[in-house]
């Protein structure tokens, strides 16, 4: 359960923004979307490999 402390006189939009930020950090939406469809283990492995290659190229470009 997400708890967002609201200070006295704090704007409701500001509190809602805090809630949205905390909710996004939990990763619930990301997990929900990933569970909506089944990915074969081979597809997961391929995507993981592609991401690793991409990250490695980004690190090389920084240098």
């Amino acid at each position: 359960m997400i708890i967002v402390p609201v200070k006295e006189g704090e704007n409701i939009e500001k509190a809602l923004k805090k809630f949205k930020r905390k909710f996004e950090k939990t990763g619930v939406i990301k997990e929900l979307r990933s569970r909506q469809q089944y990915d074969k283990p081979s597809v997961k492995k391929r995507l993981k490999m592609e991401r690793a290659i991409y990250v490695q190229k980004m690190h090389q470009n920084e240098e």
Side-chain angles (χ1 to χ4, degrees):
M1 180 164 62
I2 299 174
I3 299 172
V4 180
V6 181
K7 297 177 184 174
E8 183 81 23
E10 186 177 13
N11 194 354
I12 190 71
E13 282 115 23
K14 198 169 189 179
L16 186 60
K17 196 171 190 177
K18 283 183 185 179
F19 171 78
K20 287 181 180 179
R21 211 175 303 129
K22 277 190 174 184
F23 183 73
E24 190 175 309
K25 283 185 180 181
T26 61
V28 173
I29 296 295
K30 188 176 181 182
E31 185 178 339
L32 178 69
R33 287 185 179 146
S34 70
R35 288 179 182 220
Q36 284 180 343
Q37 69 181 29
Y38 176 75
D39 292 330
K40 296 190 318 184
S42 61
V43 173
K44 287 182 183 178
K45 185 178 177 183
R46 182 168 33 93
L47 291 174
K48 188 176 179 182
M49 184 69 74
E50 288 175 359
R51 177 159 167 54
I53 291 170
Y54 174 77
V55 169
Q56 190 175 24
K57 284 182 182 179
M58 292 300 290
H59 286 299
Q60 286 176 354
N61 287 341
E62 286 180 358
E63 296 172 354

